[in-house]
């Protein structure tokens, strides 16, 4: 099954490059890079998941930056500013990945995996988690204002506040017990925030080109 998905993904990426008439097969390159990240995440000698910062950021970038780059390459133009924006936005993805580590603290400790809850303890790790999620999105909202996308910035801010509410309602009181409740409640707002940022960027590019 894994080989069907792997080679099927590579074939789909190559097909998209041909369909888009890319001189450089950028979608294929991104797919190969993502495959490599997924391998070194679990496999020695790098085994990124052994260390909380590297492993969680790799997951965060896989959630946010890589899919965004691929979509941008297919439906628009993948530019350096988009890459920088999404690499920074992936810090929020790091926070999302940390949420998943709370339920496996004992197992991670026994296996020698230095997840952030293991390395810093539950109290410090839960604040690192919500801080990375909230600070990243607030910074993106501020950036959208600087490029004139005030309406989209306000929409993003409106989507951040429910996440903060659910952090205080579910996650911060007990991140081990309430991790699933928190993700089910707050995650949709983060995803819509990503969509809002993508729409804001598309509107900004179209306005510049007009």
């Amino acid at each position: 099954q894994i080989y069907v998905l792997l080679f099927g993904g590579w074939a789909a990426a190559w097909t998209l490059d041909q369909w888009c008439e890319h001189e450089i097969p950028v979608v294929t390159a991104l797919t190969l890079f993502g495959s490599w990240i997924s391998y070194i995440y679990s496999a020695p000698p790098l085994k990124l998941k052994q260390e909380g910062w590297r492993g969680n950021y790799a997951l965060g970038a896989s959630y946010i930056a890589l899919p965004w780059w691929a979509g941008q390459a297919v439906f628009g133009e993948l530019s350096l500013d988009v890459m920088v924006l999404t690499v920074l936005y992936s810090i929020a993805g790091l926070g999302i990945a940390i949420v998943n580590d709370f339920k496996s603290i004992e197992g991670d400790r026994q296996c020698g995996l230095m997840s952030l809850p293991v390395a810093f303890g539950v109290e410090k790790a839960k604040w690192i988690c919500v801080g990375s999620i909230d600070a990243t999105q607030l910074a993106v909202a501020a950036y959208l204002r600087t490029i004139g996308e005030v309406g989209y910035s306000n929409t993003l801010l409106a989507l951040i506040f429910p996440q903060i509410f659910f952090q205080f309602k579910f996650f911060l009181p007990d991140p081990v017990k309430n991790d699933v409740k928190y993700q089910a409640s707050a995650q949709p707002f983060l995803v819509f925030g990503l969509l809002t940022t993508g729409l804001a960027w598309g509107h900004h590019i179209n306005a510049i080109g007009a």
Side-chain angles (χ1 to χ4, degrees), residues 2-199:
I2 186 171
Y3 291 110
V4 171
L5 293 173
L6 181 65
F7 294 121
W10 292 352
W14 178 257
T15 302
L16 286 171
D17 277 320
Q18 300 306 303
W19 178 64
C20 295
E21 299 181 348
H22 290 151
E23 294 184 8
I24 299 174
V26 61
V27 181
T28 302
L30 290 172
T31 304
L32 293 172
F33 179 68
S35 302
W36 180 67
I37 292 294
S38 68
Y39 176 76
I40 65 172
Y41 177 75
S42 298
L46 295 177
K47 202 171 185 179
L48 299 179
K49 70 178 181 180
Q50 281 187 319
E51 199 276 318
W53 293 110
R54 292 185 305 165
N56 286 327
Y57 186 78
L59 283 179
S62 299
Y63 294 156
I64 295 175
L66 282 177
W68 198 320
W69 294 357
Q72 193 74 33
V74 172
F75 298 106
E77 181 180 348
L78 182 58
S79 58
L80 181 61
D81 42 11
V82 169
M83 296 180 75
V84 171
L85 174 64
T86 51
V87 163
L88 295 176
Y89 215 137
S90 295
I91 297 172
L94 179 148
I96 297 168
I98 296 172
V99 175
N100 296 321
D101 289 335
F102 286 94
K103 62 178 176 287
S104 57
I105 294 175
E106 290 305 317
D108 288 346
R109 186 178 287 119
Q110 292 172 15
C111 294
L113 302 180
M114 292 300 293
S115 67
L116 295 187
V118 171
F120 292 96
V122 171
E123 288 302 309
K124 288 184 180 179
K126 71 183 184 182
W127 287 104
I128 293 172
C129 175
V130 299
S132 62
I133 293 172
D134 297 342
T136 300
Q137 294 179 93
L138 289 170
V140 171
Y143 172 71
L144 294 181
R145 297 186 91 81
T146 66
I147 62 174
E149 299 298 336
V150 177
Y152 287 104
S153 174
N154 290 338
T155 301
L156 181 55
L157 286 171
L159 291 166
I160 295 170
F161 291 128
Q163 296 175 62
I164 296 174
F165 170 78
F166 288 121
Q167 287 164 2
F168 279 91
K169 180 178 176 61
F170 293 126
F171 187 71
L172 291 172
D174 192 340
V176 178
K177 179 182 177 182
N178 296 329
D179 60 328
V180 175
K181 276 185 182 179
Y182 165 67
Q183 292 204 73
S185 303
Q187 203 90 309
F189 294 99
L190 186 140
V191 172
F192 279 115
L194 286 167
L195 176 60
T196 298
T197 305
L199 292 172

